[in-house]
Amino acid sequence: MTSLGSFMVALDTLVVAAALTTIRGDLGASAEGLEWTVNSYALSFAMLLMTAAAIGDRLGRRRTYAAGLALFTAASVACALATSLPFLIVARTVQGAGAAFVMPLAMSLLGAAFPPERRGRAIGVFSGVTGIAVLGGPLIGGAVTEGLSWQWIFWINVPIGALAIALVLAKIPESTGPARRLDLVGAVLISLAVLGLVWGTVRGESAGWASAEVLSAFAIGVVMLIGFGLWERRTAHAMVPLAFFRNRTFTAANSAGFFLSAALFSAVFFLSQYMQVVLGSAPLKAGLQLLPWTATLFVIGPIAGRLVDRVGERPLVVIGMALQAAGMFWVSRGTSHYWELIVPLIVTGSGISLAMPAAQSAAMAALPRESVGIASGIYSMNRQLGGAAGVAVLGSVFTAAGGYTGHGFTQALAGCGVLSLLAALSGLAIAAHGRTTAPAAAKAAKVVEGVR
């Protein structure tokens, strides 16, 4: 049930990309305007994640999750009914806000519902479903756009959202986090920090990395982030107890999640275009050609979840991201024959399928069970920041290397390999199985107890 909501939210992160050309023709949009149909969703999603997690801990995770689903579904209807680009952008912004209340609360409910010895398997299934949504975005978007119309990429959310709300309210028990007051100052500071950092990242390529707009956005983001850290150190009701980041596994898992998402979102973005531009495939065919990559999640994801419980997270993160790096470097060599990409796509897909549930499990298991809400909020925020940063930075690499007519694709896909290696290196700092979080979690539990 939590996977259903996560699937819907993750799918909408990239499914719109396949319909941008059609939307431009129907609504008479400019290229920059089209960017904001994607960026507005990413901005509101990222900046509200921490606040949503804190609200869920206080008011009830199930209740907040259902409310987020309802907001996301209503905004999807508005997107489908949009007759102008400004209206669509506003609706996408609201949709992103709903997504911010779905993703971290889905992880929180999952973490609270399963004991540590069974959590790895559950997170394996959850991550597999989420990964399929991300990787399947271009395929589903292409199929719906070609077979129906671009509005249907939003209409399909309505029955899924309604079903998810009904199942969650009927089947999932309510849970809450530590009983403390909502840190409103902290919520504002972290939201503004994320807004500044994401704004600067997504506008870097089009406005110029050295432009006043981008530099000002980064400066505001950094100042707000520093202010957030100082506030959290002095307030008695901290949204994020900073002592959590003294937990080596928690910090390493979040670092791995950041680079993992940067590599994954960038790979989806560029591989989908590679199939269309270089191999001359239509959107639907391009999505089908990515199946050797996508299909591995059906097989490897659940297996990885079981392996987490047996061997721990560190080897799966390190080996998985090393495999993804190898696959992306292999793909980056370039070819005009699709069959030559099948094996490297399977390799990179197997790698991400191993690493994704393991990194997520490490972040959740590193803190005591009552802190699962804030742990999921931090991890989700890192994933969003990573995805935005990866696409923006490698977009600049793509342009600098000649774009569509030069070596843009090969350089950008090689960059995905570099990001994957950084995720593997981060994974090395995750504690070994059997020593994962016993002492650290005990310290974190004392911190949680101290802020109640």
Side-chain angles (χ1 to χ4, degrees):
M1 285 171 279
T2 57
S3 297
L4 194 60
S6 171
F7 178 88
M8 185 170 63
V9 167
L11 182 67
D12 268 55
T13 303
L14 288 174
V15 72
V16 175
L20 289 179
T21 301
T22 307
I23 293 173
R24 182 179 63 185
D26 282 1
L27 302 183
S30 64
E32 184 175 358
L34 283 176
E35 288 182 18
W36 282 105
T37 63
V38 177
N39 294 342
S40 59
Y41 181 86
L43 280 168
S44 58
F45 190 176
M47 69 181 291
L48 293 174
L49 277 165
M50 291 298 302
T51 302
I55 290 174
D57 275 355
R58 181 168 178 79
L59 300 182
R61 293 163 181 159
R62 183 186 66 173
R63 183 183 298 114
T64 307
Y65 177 72
L69 284 171
L71 181 61
F72 184 90
T73 304
S76 296
V77 173
C79 289
L81 296 175
T83 56
S84 66
L85 190 67
F87 187 92
L88 178 60
I89 291 172
V90 171
R92 285 283 286 170
T93 303
V94 177
Q95 198 182 33
F101 281 83
V102 171
M103 187 62 80
L105 272 302
M107 292 173 58
S108 299
L109 288 167
L110 189 70
F114 290 89
E117 63 273 13
R118 295 176 55 202
R119 193 177 297 156
R121 182 177 300 185
I123 289 178
V125 174
F126 180 89
S127 296
V129 172
T130 304
I132 289 168
V134 173
L135 294 176
L139 170 60
I140 296 172
V144 171
T145 302
E146 286 189 25
L148 296 169
S149 66
W150 66 264
Q151 288 88 348
W152 278 96
I153 64 178
F154 300 112
W155 282 124
I156 60 176
N157 290 332
V158 177
I160 297 175
L163 177 62
I165 292 170
L167 289 175
V168 165
L169 294 178
K171 300 294 185 180
I172 295 182
E174 185 61 280
S175 64
T176 58
R180 60 178 186 267
R181 288 188 312 200
L182 184 63
D183 180 11
L184 293 177
V185 174
V188 171
L189 288 173
I190 192 63
S191 296
L192 291 176
V194 173
L195 175 62
L197 294 174
V198 175
W199 186 289
T201 300
V202 301
R203 290 285 293 152
E205 183 181 356
S206 57
W209 291 101
S211 67
E213 175 190 348
V214 171
L215 293 178
S216 298
F218 279 133
I220 291 171
V222 170
V223 170
M224 291 297 105
L225 189 60
I226 293 172
F228 175 74
L230 294 174
W231 172 259
E232 295 298 281
R233 291 185 63 181
R234 64 182 293 269
T235 181
H237 305 282
M239 174 185 288
V240 181
L242 298 184
F244 286 176
F245 291 97
R246 291 200 292 267
N247 183 316
R248 187 186 78 186
T249 291
F250 181 71
T251 301
N254 275 280
S255 176
F258 177 90
F259 290 115
L260 181 156
S261 295
L264 175 61
F265 278 71
S266 301
V268 174
F269 184 80
F270 288 109
L271 275 174
S272 178
Q273 295 185 77
Y274 182 87
M275 299 299 181
Q276 297 180 57
V277 175
V278 177
L279 301 185
S281 303
L284 176 57
K285 184 179 179 181
L288 291 171
Q289 288 173 329
L290 291 176
L291 278 178
W293 186 24
T294 311
T296 58
L297 284 161
F298 287 98
V299 180
I300 306 295
I303 295 174
R306 290 193 292 270
L307 287 175
V308 164
D309 296 330
R310 294 182 182 179
V311 304
E313 297 91 355
R314 182 169 68 182
L316 297 184
V317 173
V318 174
I319 294 172
M321 294 313 298
L323 281 174
Q324 168 148 304
M328 294 313 304
F329 286 132
W330 193 347
V331 171
S332 72
R333 295 169 59 189
T335 180
S336 57
H337 304 290
Y338 169 69
W339 62 268
E340 295 180 9
L341 297 175
I342 294 175
V343 173
L345 285 175
I346 293 174
V347 170
T348 192
S350 299
I352 194 66
S353 299
L354 283 174
M356 189 185 299
Q360 191 164 314
S361 176
M364 302 285 282
L367 300 180
R369 191 168 182 175
E370 58 268 28
S371 300
V372 68
I374 201 63
S376 67
I378 294 170
Y379 187 81
S380 295
M381 184 182 71
N382 269 308
R383 284 186 56 179
Q384 282 300 114
L385 290 174
V391 172
V393 171
L394 293 188
S396 294
V397 172
F398 176 82
T399 302
Y404 294 103
T405 58
H407 299 285
F409 282 115
T410 58
Q411 294 299 309
L413 292 171
C416 293
V418 173
L419 292 172
S420 301
L421 285 178
L422 292 174
L425 291 173
S426 298
L428 289 172
I430 295 174
H433 188 53
R435 298 186 290 111
T436 305
T437 56
K443 292 179 181 178
K446 292 180 180 178
V447 172
V448 173
E449 186 66 31
V451 297
R452 289 187 178 185

